[in-house]
Amino acid sequence: NAGVTQTPKFQVLKTGQSMTLQCAQDMNHNSMYWYRQDPGMGLRLIYYSASEGTTDKGEVPNGYNVSRLNKREFSLRLESAAPSQTSVYFCASSTGAGETQYFGPGTRLLVL
Amino acid sequence: KNEVEQSPQNLTAQEGEFITINCSYSVGISALHWLQQHPGGGIVSLFMLSSGKKKHGRLIATINIQEKHSSLHITASHPRDSAVYICAVKGGSRLTFGEGTQLTVNP
């Protein structure tokens, strides 16, 4: 039982490049989330998926897109990376909205 | 003003000390979470509570809904408790997070 897994662990991009962050959970959770964490700020919600087949914008969705591929997987895509997207990205899942969330190990992204 | 305010931002203690971290919030909530972020970056949930008090080992979390305030206590602190402790409140379907309290426990 791996919990929540994220790939890659670390990535360096040049401005304008695109990439997809992958997240998968094996706990049969309905809800999944993408957060970013920046120094001096709390975790901020980018997008979430309350259940399979639905996605909604969070607090900071600009520059990102998501896909809830199936119940297990929730990916985050940066179409044209910008230096302001340099951050640590966390995926999380929960049985339902607002319930205890289980976090992945994070992806450190550096955009040059 | 942030919806969730934690104090202190940084806390240094000696091993064995009793530690209190505070969380105040300005919105109506249905539940409050405490999380721990390890020095390596991993985040784990410690508690979810909507009233009263919960205890797990040396950790105790309390909440006062009327005063919009929660505390996380650590008894007999140990260097392995060194981490960032994060408060998050549930309003609607989302969590809103505080900035975290950096705790360092020295041997």
Side-chain angles (χ1 to χ4, degrees), chain A residues 35 37 40 57 90 98 101, chain B residues 33 37 45 94-95 97 99:
Chain A
Y35 295 97
Q37 186 178 42
K57 294 179 180 179
F90 287 96
Q101 294 186 12
Chain B
H33 298 252
Q37 185 166 24
S45 289
R94 305 180 191 178
L95 296 183
F97 294 80
E99 292 182 21

Side-chain angles (χ1 to χ4, degrees), chain A residues 33 35 37 40-45 48 56-59 90 97-105 108, chain B residues 31 33 35 37 39-45 47-48 84 86 90 92-100:
Chain A
Y33 312 84
Y35 295 97
Q37 186 178 42
M41 306 187 76
L43 288 158
R44 292 185 292 169
L45 183 65
Y48 69 102
D56 285 287
K57 294 179 180 179
E59 185 183 350
F90 287 96
E99 299 302 313
T100 297
Q101 294 186 12
Y102 296 81
F103 286 79
R108 290 187 176 274
Chain B
H33 298 252
L35 305 99
Q37 185 166 24
I43 300 173
V44 296
S45 289
F47 295 104
M48 181 175 75
V84 176
I86 302 168
K90 176 186 173 186
S93 59
R94 305 180 191 178
L95 296 183
T96 301
F97 294 80
E99 292 182 21

Side-chain angles (χ1 to χ4, degrees), chain A residues 4-84:
Chain A
V4 180
T5 57
Q6 289 183 237
T7 56
K9 286 187 168 47
F10 180 71
Q11 183 73 46
V12 179
L13 291 179
K14 293 181 180 176
T15 297
Q17 287 186 318
S18 63
M19 79 162 294
T20 299
L21 282 65
Q22 306 285 356
C23 174
Q25 53 90 10
D26 61 4
M27 295 175 282
N28 201 36
H29 284 169
N30 292 315
S31 301
M32 297 185 74
Y33 312 84
W34 275 106
Y35 295 97
R36 61 178 289 173
Q37 186 178 42
D38 301 292
M41 306 187 76
L43 288 158
R44 292 185 292 169
L45 183 65
I46 305 171
Y47 270 93
Y48 69 102
S49 171
S51 60
E52 186 179 357
T54 69
T55 61
D56 285 287
K57 294 179 180 179
E59 185 183 350
V60 289
N62 291 344
Y64 306 95
N65 284 300
V66 291
S67 296
R68 184 75 183 264
L69 304 168
N70 47 57
K71 193 169 187 179
R72 290 187 62 247
E73 298 173 287
F74 188 39
S75 62
L76 178 72
R77 182 158 179 85
L78 287 71
E79 290 291 352
S80 179
S84 60

